[in-house]
Amino acid sequence: MKRAGGSPTVALNAKGIRMKEEGIDVLSFAAGEPDFDTPEAVKAAAAEAIRRNDTHYTSAAGTIALRRRIVRKLWEENGIRASEDGIIVTPGAKPALYAALMSFLEEGDECMVLTPAYPSYRSGILMAGAEYVPVPLRFEDGFVVTREMLEAKVTARSKMLIVCSPCNPTGHVLTKREVHDIADFVLEHDMLLVSDEIYEKLIYDGREHLSFGAIPEISDRVVTLNGLSKSAAMTGWRIGYSASSPELARVMLKMQQNTVNCTASFTQFAAITAFDCAAETERMRQSYLERRDLICDGLNAIPAITCPRAEGAFYAFFRIDWRDMSAGELADTLLDKAGVLVVPGTAFGEGGEKCIRMSFAADRASLQEAVRRMRELFA
Ligand code: PMP
Ligand code: GLU
């Protein structure tokens, strides 16, 4: 725990909430969370489960009904052949990530991470006692990873690689080429692959989401992480899952049995309904897409800013070249001088220098006002 950091995204979100509570004029884009409410049908299913007294412990891996629904989803939507005993339902994707890291990493192991990356990867690796090995990607190249970049970081102790597509924070969606290079790489070096697919439904401009678990040659070495926080706007419900071979799941299940025990029972019942909310998810995606363009067009009109269009997820990850300021200095200046709360790119590790992450899961008026304030500040 001494080596791990706190989560900068969670901490900055809390800061924004506190500032608002104190009546301070702040526009907060720090949180990575849908601004939609959970679909009505999901809420009704949870209320009904509570009334029915489905309020007891479930089996640690999750209810059979939900695990069966996840198995069907993985097959129909991702081409992943999972079985019930390869699924563990967790209170959010985060505990599934943590279970994978604690289960398969130990002292001396190295875990590679494509950066900029979700900060909890690094902390989880360090909490497991292993070494964090960043593979820095470049803003100028659209954060594309190549086989050479991976090979440059591999050692005899490389045990695992973590990837996230669509990526938080960069918005990059792995191409077919990258997916195959990564698959070949982990196979050749006998590594495990943790594939964080929590943003799979939020993908734009006709791009396609590809799941590593669907590639037969490597499916037994992949732990897929997913959940309903983003696709069904269910962050506060705490519902996620891991999908892997039953052999890997058996190990991870020990973590679940000894820590959280099980995911809240009525959340699990409601989750079954959430898997049938494709129309709502699509409406949310359309709305994020409109706001992506709003923010990108607005920011790109400011000479100091270069804002690529996110290929997926709901973050603008843009570069500011202004007075040679670092990402941290830029984020501080935005807060102090413009009342705009964002996350500095370097909170996501190497590759985020001079960059800012701004969630566009925010109302249009706030996004427009933030652009106006930034235009004024950087004029
Ligand atoms: N992975 C990534 C990349 C995320 O952005 C998030 C959301 N904070 C998570 C995992 C965890 O999501 P949750 O625990 O809410 O399912
Ligand atoms: N997905 C969010 C983010 O990246 C929530 C915070 C977290 O889970 O760390 O901001």
Side-chain angles (χ1 to χ4, degrees):
M1 290 307 294
K2 275 188 189 157
R3 299 202 307 156
S7 165
T9 46
V10 172
L12 279 169
N13 185 30
K15 181 173 179 168
I17 293 170
R18 199 182 53 241
M19 288 176 78
K20 278 183 192 162
E21 280 170 357
E22 286 168 2
I24 299 168
D25 171 30
V26 64
L27 297 170
S28 179
F29 307 97
E33 133 156 89
D35 61 339
F36 291 100
D37 292 322
T38 304
E40 286 301 324
V42 179
K43 292 194 274 186
E48 175 52 30
I50 292 170
R51 264 195 297 273
R52 247 187 359 244
N53 295 311
D54 274 330
T55 54
H56 300 270
Y57 289 136
T58 68
S59 67
T63 67
I64 286 289
L66 176 55
R67 280 186 285 148
R68 283 195 181 139
R69 184 64 187 87
I70 294 170
V71 166
R72 174 151 81 84
K73 179 258 183 247
L74 290 170
W75 174 240
E76 289 175 355
E77 298 178 11
N78 305 91
I80 297 175
R81 277 181 199 281
S83 62
E84 278 151 44
D85 48 0
I87 307 295
I88 303 176
V89 177
T90 49
K94 220 174 220 182
L97 165 72
Y98 181 69
L101 302 180
M102 291 303 281
S103 299
F104 306 122
L105 293 177
E106 61 189 353
E107 238 171 88
D109 288 341
E110 291 177 358
C111 182
M112 294 166 67
V113 179
L114 308 183
T115 64
Y118 184 53
S120 292
Y121 301 151
R122 178 178 180 274
S123 290
I125 292 163
L126 298 178
M127 283 196 270
E131 297 308 317
Y132 161 75
V133 179
V135 181
L137 309 179
R138 286 162 43 91
F139 181 87
E140 295 78 7
D141 303 335
F143 298 108
V144 165
V145 68
T146 63
R147 184 72 193 257
E148 292 68 39
M149 289 171 172
L150 294 169
E151 294 294 344
K153 294 291 180 138
V154 78
T155 74
R157 295 188 304 171
S158 305
K159 177 79 173 287
M160 182 188 279
L161 169 67
I162 306 178
V163 295
C164 177
S165 178
C167 175
N168 173 9
T170 67
H172 179 56
V173 173
L174 291 174
T175 61
K176 214 172 246 179
R177 164 98 203 242
E178 289 176 283
V179 166
H180 284 108
D181 279 355
I182 291 168
D184 288 348
F185 173 78
V186 292
L187 186 62
E188 221 162 276
H189 294 285
D190 192 21
M191 291 164 70
L192 290 169
L193 179 66
V194 170
S195 177
D196 184 342
E197 304 186 8
I198 191 115
Y199 293 97
E200 67 165 329
K201 296 292 174 197
L202 307 179
I203 193 162
Y204 313 117
D205 310 321
R207 285 186 182 78
E208 194 189 351
H209 172 71
L210 300 168
S211 291
F212 288 95
I215 303 172
E217 292 79 5
I218 60 162
S219 61
D220 59 342
R221 57 180 71 239
V222 176
V223 180
T224 305
L225 306 179
N226 209 330
L228 292 161
S229 283
K230 318 290 166 169
S231 60
M234 290 179 71
T235 44
W237 295 71
R238 310 311 298 131
I239 179 89
Y241 58 90
S242 66
S244 65
S245 68
E247 190 190 351
L248 296 183
R250 263 194 297 280
V251 183
M252 289 170 62
L253 190 57
K254 287 196 275 182
M255 173 62 71
Q256 178 101 333
Q257 288 172 341
N258 287 302
T259 55
V260 298
N261 189 343
C262 68
T263 301
S265 54
F266 43 90
T267 293
Q268 292 191 55
F269 286 105
I272 297 172
T273 305
F275 280 106
D276 294 323
C277 288
E280 277 92 338
T281 306
E282 176 54 18
R283 265 198 295 280
M284 296 180 208
R285 192 192 69 85
Q286 278 294 342
S287 165
Y288 293 134
L289 175 61
E290 282 162 25
R291 289 179 276 170
R292 178 200 69 169
D293 290 339
L294 175 91
I295 195 77
C296 283
D297 292 344
L299 292 177
N300 280 323
I302 302 171
I305 298 182
T306 312
C307 181
R309 273 170 220 275
E311 299 164 359
F314 44 53
Y315 306 101
F317 197 74
F318 54 91
R319 202 184 138 105
I320 308 180
D321 290 283
W322 196 64
R323 298 187 180 166
D324 209 28
M325 277 194 184
S326 68
E329 289 167 338
L330 287 163
D332 288 345
T333 305
L334 279 166
L335 184 59
D336 296 343
K337 301 269 192 288
V340 172
L341 184 65
V342 293
V343 186
T346 38
F348 306 95
E350 291 83 341
E353 296 77 18
K354 292 191 183 293
C355 290
I356 290 294
R357 188 193 81 169
M358 181 171 166
S359 166
F360 52 79
D363 66 279
R364 296 175 69 91
S366 302
L367 291 170
Q368 278 160 334
E369 173 61 10
V371 169
R372 195 193 62 75
R373 292 186 191 182
M374 282 194 241
R375 200 183 308 120
E376 222 169 74
L377 175 65
F378 295 124

